[in-house]
Amino acid sequence: MDNDLLDVVIAGGGPGGLNAALVLGRSLKKVMLIDEAKPRNAVTLKSHGFLTRDGISPTVIREIAREQLKAYKNVTVMEDVIEDVERNNDLFITKTRNGQTVMSKKIIFATGMKDHLPSIPGLQSVYGKTVFHCPYCDGWERKNQPIALFGNGAALLPFVKLIFNWSKDLIVFTNGPASIQDEEKRQLAHHKINLVETPIAELQSNNGNLEKVILQSGESFHRKGGFISSTYERQGSMIPARLGVPLNDKGEYETHEHGETNLEGLFIIGDAKNTFTSLVGAASQGYEAAVKINSQFAAENWEAGLLQNK
Ligand SMILES: Cc1cc2nc3c(=O)[nH]c(=O)nc-3n(C[C@H](O)[C@H](O)[C@H](O)COP(=O)(O)OP(=O)(O)OC[C@H]3O[C@@H](n4cnc5c(N)ncnc54)[C@H](O)[C@@H]3O)c2cc1C
């Protein structure tokens, strides 16, 4: 059975999981990465802000990473869904939808978040094409353009301030009565930002390009793209929660340094612990968790060697 024992199972093959697999592979660890391959960024055509990868499709980034992992025979990549993980003494037993059961000394969850967009007719067609959440990812392409900003509540004004950096030609759509302070309304008016509270009937677009925001009153506004302040993310996997890892009030997993959790041997990295880490952020956390895990194995093996020679 020891032959089948893996050092690390990695759940999720986004930038977090893939970079952890790469560094653990290069550290001679026996690793299995299991990925459902349904990332939240699959809706978008181009990713930005990741050095050497600016403007490349997120699918291509994953393909290159998987191709490069093939050089490490100690790393197996499987397309499957992890349905359950049990803790048995110090080991993790992972069960997949396709009926695989694997055992590992440690496990990394890099299972990301899933977006649940508000039910505005037409939003699904433009999200990830010309309407986005992250201005660092997609603000440059919309600089100085007439854009829509969808959102409401306490998070609205901080988001407007941010987006204002890229375009001052902003219309804010709250899709119903604005639940913001009078002072916040005053600040929007001061910056000549139109606040539209009438509910939205639909977003009209052509091939993913937002053209018009049409209100239930029949009034419409030409806009060339936009940003949405919240995509109502939820965890990609609730397995760590079932095992006892706490979630904070934003629905993110609570971790310690390097992605370690209250459950020894279970690490969480990427969007699962930071909602919107970015490609480079998730990849960096994968690197960091892998280094921590390998250094733990190295220390354990060293101690075991000392005991044997006594
Ligand atoms: C529309 C959009 C555009 C974006 N654009 C950019 C950009 O331009 N630049 C940038 O830096 N960032 C961008 N991001 C953010 C970036 O995509 C994420 O921050 C990053 O992908 C997070 O990486 P991750 O590894 O944590 O998770 P993900 O990349 O989300 O990967 C998680 C993986 O885990 C898998 N998974 C989940 N549950 C299971 C399970 N039970 N078993 C097996 N596999 C499972 C999922 O299917 C998925 O493949 C964008 C995000 C969105 C939504």
Side-chain angles (χ1 to χ4, degrees):
M1 193 70 194
D2 223 37
N3 253 355
D4 299 320
L5 181 62
L6 295 160
D7 291 313
V8 187
V9 159
I10 300 172
L18 286 163
N19 216 42
L22 179 62
V23 177
L24 286 165
R26 292 182 54 77
S27 307
L28 313 174
K29 294 293 149 307
K30 200 170 165 189
V31 175
M32 184 178 282
L33 181 146
I34 304 172
D35 183 27
E36 185 184 11
K38 287 191 181 154
R40 65 194 293 204
N41 65 4
V43 294
T44 198
L45 304 173
K46 290 180 178 178
S47 295
H48 300 99
F50 191 170
L51 75 169
T52 78
R53 306 285 129 196
D54 200 40
I56 293 179
S57 129
T59 313
V60 170
I61 295 176
R62 283 173 165 242
E63 281 167 6
I64 295 170
R66 281 195 187 201
E67 193 54 38
Q68 291 185 344
L69 279 176
K70 286 183 184 160
Y72 303 93
K73 302 297 172 212
N74 46 326
V75 178
T76 309
V77 176
M78 250 187 11
E79 210 153 296
D80 202 344
V81 183
I82 298 180
E83 294 209 313
D84 194 26
V85 174
E86 282 168 31
R87 193 112 193 267
N88 191 332
N89 297 318
D90 288 342
L91 299 179
F92 293 93
I93 300 165
T94 298
K95 294 184 179 157
T96 73
R97 188 170 292 168
N98 289 343
Q100 291 273 347
T101 299
V102 289
M103 212 183 272
S104 62
K105 295 178 193 164
K106 296 189 195 280
I107 188 161
I108 300 177
F109 277 86
T111 37
M113 289 274 187
K114 295 223 179 293
D115 294 311
H116 297 268
L117 297 178
S119 57
I120 299 173
L123 178 58
Q124 295 280 354
S125 312
V126 291
Y127 183 64
K129 309 290 182 299
T130 50
V131 174
F132 302 90
H133 170 63
C134 163
Y136 300 101
C137 308
D138 301 288
W140 169 266
E141 285 67 28
R142 260 132 288 280
K143 63 183 181 306
N144 305 322
Q145 289 189 6
I147 56 178
L149 193 153
F150 305 99
N152 207 345
L156 180 62
L157 195 70
F159 195 62
V160 173
K161 286 183 195 171
L162 191 64
I163 301 302
F164 199 61
N165 175 66
W166 281 272
S167 178
K168 313 238 172 318
D169 186 355
L170 273 182
I171 301 179
V172 172
F173 296 91
T174 50
N175 195 22
S179 42
I180 60 173
Q181 311 286 326
D182 287 347
E183 167 56 21
E184 294 178 311
K185 287 187 181 174
R186 196 196 62 74
Q187 288 188 19
L188 290 177
H190 179 86
H191 285 291
K192 300 189 173 47
I193 297 170
N194 193 359
L195 174 68
V196 177
E197 300 184 57
T198 312
I200 297 167
E202 64 163 320
L203 304 186
Q204 204 176 73
S205 62
N206 182 6
N207 207 15
N209 296 305
L210 178 67
E211 290 179 338
K212 265 188 208 169
V213 180
I214 304 173
L215 306 181
Q216 285 181 8
S217 60
E219 200 181 356
S220 68
F221 296 84
H222 281 279
R223 297 282 94 186
K224 274 193 151 179
F227 286 89
I228 181 162
S229 72
S230 173
T231 57
Y232 303 92
E233 309 87 356
R234 283 183 230 143
Q235 280 298 333
S237 171
M238 289 305 283
I239 294 172
R242 289 207 290 275
L243 290 167
V245 180
L247 291 156
N248 65 20
D249 55 6
K250 290 196 255 172
E252 300 162 334
Y253 282 115
E254 284 186 4
T255 65
H256 310 303
E257 266 193 306
H258 318 299
E260 279 192 283
T261 65
N262 57 333
L263 234 80
E264 205 182 327
L266 189 151
F267 288 68
I268 300 182
I269 57 171
D271 283 6
K273 68 171 219 169
N274 289 129
T275 304
F276 211 100
T277 344
S278 78
L279 298 168
V280 72
S284 141
Q285 289 179 14
Y287 188 101
E288 209 182 311
V291 166
K292 180 71 186 175
I293 286 174
N294 185 58
S295 68
Q296 288 175 346
F297 279 134
E300 283 163 23
N301 291 340
W302 184 267
E303 290 306 317
L306 289 179
L307 286 176
Q308 267 172 18
N309 296 338
K310 269 193 179 165

